[in-house]
Amino acid sequence: MRSKFTKLLIGVCASFALGAAASAQKFEGLAETPPMGWNSWNTFATNINEELIIGVADSMVENGMRDAGYIYINLDDGWMMRERDENGDLVPDPEKFPNGLKHLADYLHERGFKFGIYGDAGRKTCAGYPGNQGHEYQDARKYAEWGVDYLKYDWCSTESRDAVEAYTTMRDALYAAGRPVVFSMCEWGTAEPWLWAEDIGHLWRTTGDIISCYDCVQEWSMGWKKILDLQMSLNPGINGLEGYAGPGHWNDPDMMEVGNHGISDVESKSHFSLWAILAAPLIAGNDVREMTPQIVDILTNEEAIAMNQDALGKQGTRIYQDDEKEIWLKYLEGGDFGVCVLNASEEKRETTMEWAQFQNHFATWNTSYEIRDVWAGANLGTTDEHPEVTQLLEPHEVMLFRLNFIESTK
Ligand code: GLA
């Protein structure tokens, strides 16, 4: 007969093993398609408060963004006090959030949104607020208490901390707190998270910060075109990063600058099209309370969003590039394709997409496709009828097509 002590020991070991097994997985099923929402950083930096967030949420209901799928409303850096309280807890800044974060989360949840927050794996956040290092479990419990559904977890002041350890610790803390949370790893691609993060987070940043321009560079921040190029060059030897993305685990080329200063409407349309093709998280970063109708139309274009949210979860890749033109391709469900052709030159140009030239990429080319011009909202006929399509494109403008599989014809 086993002694009481042995039984106790077995019990303790079993629950420890169970706990370990349970915490060795992230929350599944939360980001089967790339997360969509809004984040405060790109436009407001640390100048955030309850009134702003409520205004953003109300506007997103009115302008159709929520119903188009943008359901996460995420606070970035600057929501908290400079010091933890006497219990070691993080404290929302009472001047910015006079009613606390639970109140804000309730407001958002009641309107069909989910609530996101920002933390940092180091001692301090990038704007100098308290980081989560050493407080992960305590903070994760607070997030759960407040009703947090999404955590963007940054990488400032981490010194020599190991990224895999740091992100695994926070994942396990979230898991232990028990509230399902989308875990957005903001490690800037430094330790190549695409190689190891699939089981830890739902999305991981691949580069330094995006800024509001086409291809400018400022220290480690850059315009969307530079970030786009990096998606193809960060993984030397293979194609790009596309092989690492899939349902529940996404490369994150950063939040969008669509509609922000420094980017024309044409460039906003191209930025959005290419983030759709990349299967990037679609996190808007503009002031959605004051948008032109053109920007609303871009952000809520159902067909571009459908390509981004396609259930296959394939990230698109660049299949052709010269000085003037780039062609990006995304495999879609049902044998369809997303095709984005960018005029990468500084001139207005007649730009041609010749389908047959790329037949190696269209796996079953003895088929016919219906050509849908997404931005024109028009069917152009079939690829048999139109072996190529030519359009006059502004500098940095795109054509965005969906090739709808019809049937084998040849
Ligand atoms: C880092 C991140 C940004 C933003 C700021 C906040 O730079 O990469 O996305 O969160 O910190 O301080």
Side-chain angles (χ1 to χ4, degrees), residues 22-213:
S23 64
Q25 55 180 285
K26 66 181 183 186
F27 293 109
E28 298 295 344
L30 284 184
E32 292 298 291
T33 60
M36 293 175 65
W38 177 88
N39 173 295
S40 51
W41 183 256
N42 286 355
T43 297
F44 300 98
T46 57
N47 300 315
I48 51 178
N49 57 52
E50 179 184 293
E51 195 189 336
L52 166 72
I53 304 304
I54 284 181
V56 161
D58 291 348
S59 302
M60 288 170 71
V61 173
E62 273 163 40
N63 65 28
M65 282 183 75
R66 179 197 60 188
D67 293 343
Y70 295 86
I71 55 164
Y72 288 96
I73 296 196
N74 299 344
L75 300 182
D76 208 283
D77 209 350
W79 58 266
M80 53 183 132
M81 293 293 282
R82 293 272 171 197
E83 302 296 335
R84 290 173 178 270
D85 69 10
E86 63 282 6
N87 302 319
D89 282 327
L90 295 170
V91 186
D93 183 330
E95 287 192 6
K96 293 177 175 174
F97 297 97
N99 298 299
L101 293 187
K102 173 84 173 69
H103 173 85
L104 181 60
D106 288 347
Y107 186 92
L108 297 176
H109 290 149
E110 278 159 20
R111 285 155 186 80
F113 291 105
K114 291 187 177 290
F115 175 49
I117 209 166
Y118 165 97
D120 187 287
R123 298 277 175 210
K124 294 248 182 247
T125 74
C126 297
Y129 294 88
N132 299 73
Q133 187 168 5
H135 294 266
E136 290 90 347
Y137 283 75
Q138 176 178 11
D139 295 343
R141 282 194 298 275
K142 266 284 159 217
Y143 297 156
E145 212 177 277
W146 291 334
V148 167
D149 307 296
Y150 185 115
L151 173 64
K152 171 175 168 182
Y153 202 51
D154 213 342
W155 192 239
C156 275
S157 306
T158 45
E159 290 152 23
S160 60
R161 199 167 183 196
D162 176 73
V164 179
E165 173 277 312
Y167 283 93
T168 304
T169 302
M170 194 66 211
R171 174 203 65 183
D172 291 349
L174 292 171
Y175 200 85
R179 184 177 170 89
V181 169
V182 171
F183 191 28
S184 158
M185 303 171 45
C186 181
E187 179 271 357
W188 320 314
T190 315
E192 303 180 307
W194 45 89
L195 298 177
W196 48 265
E198 175 176 344
D199 295 329
I200 303 176
H202 299 94
L203 57 155
W204 51 82
R205 280 273 297 279
T206 55
T207 67
D209 285 2
I210 198 166
I211 42 176
S212 184
C213 64

